[in-house]
Amino acid sequence: QVQLRESGGGSVETGGSLTLACTIPGNIEAYTCLAWLREVPGQGREAVASFGTGNPTSRYAASVEGRFTISRKSDKSTLELQMNNLKPEDTAMYICAAKVGSWRTKCSLQPSFEFYNYRGQGTQVTVSS
C-alpha cells in the first residue's frame, strides 16, 4: 500500500509563510497527477493546487492563485507547497494526493478523493488574525 506522508504544517500569523512537504514512495514521475487538497470540517474539501508530471502546467484555485506554489524537489520523491501571505481562511487540513493514470488523464483541480489512487493523512495549518 502506497502511503504519502505530509509535514510542515503549523500555526502562523496572517501574512506569514509555510512550506508543506509530501514524501511520496518511489519516483514522482510514476504518478500522472499530483495535488494538494485542503479540508475544513463542515466546509468540504478544495483542491488548491495540482500538476501533471507529463505536463509542466500547474493549476491553482482562485483562492490561492499568486500566493501558493506547487513544485517537486530535485530528489524526485517530494512534493512541496509553498504558501505565502497566509490568511485566516487558509486554515485547514492539507492533504497531498497522487493519481496513476495515462496520457489521457486530465490533471485538473479535483477535490474528490475518488479521483486519486493515493493520499496522505494530512498536516494541519492554522493561520491566526
Side-chain angles (χ1 to χ4, degrees):
Q1 179 70 25
V2 175
Q3 182 65 50
L4 281 58
R5 184 165 299 173
E6 303 90 341
S7 62
S11 298
V12 297
E13 295 183 347
T14 297
S17 298
L18 282 174
T19 300
L20 305 183
C22 176
T23 301
I24 299 176
N27 192 317
I28 279 182
E29 303 299 329
Y31 304 90
T32 307
C33 303
L34 297 160
W36 282 97
L37 316 178
R38 67 184 182 187
E39 60 182 12
V40 177
Q43 297 185 23
R45 188 180 311 117
E46 177 185 25
V48 297
S50 72
F51 75 83
T53 54
N55 183 337
T57 301
S58 301
R59 293 178 173 82
Y60 298 94
S63 57
V64 306
E65 181 82 50
R67 300 187 298 121
F68 289 14
T69 303
I70 187 172
S71 64
R72 46 188 156 179
K73 290 186 67 175
S74 58
D75 64 5
K76 298 184 179 181
S77 297
T78 303
L79 180 71
E80 289 191 332
L81 184 69
Q82 174 68 44
M83 306 186 295
N84 298 323
N85 190 22
L86 283 162
K87 305 174 181 180
E89 50 264 43
D90 294 319
T91 295
M93 180 71 74
Y94 284 74
I95 303 161
C96 68
K99 177 177 180 64
V100 177
S102 70
W103 63 271
R104 295 186 180 88
T105 302
K106 294 183 179 180
C107 301
S108 55
L109 293 169
Q110 294 281 355
S112 172
F113 283 153
E114 293 183 352
F115 177 77
Y116 304 96
N117 302 98
Y118 312 106
R119 65 180 188 269
Q121 294 187 335
T123 185
Q124 179 67 36
V125 172
T126 302
V127 185
S128 59
S129 57

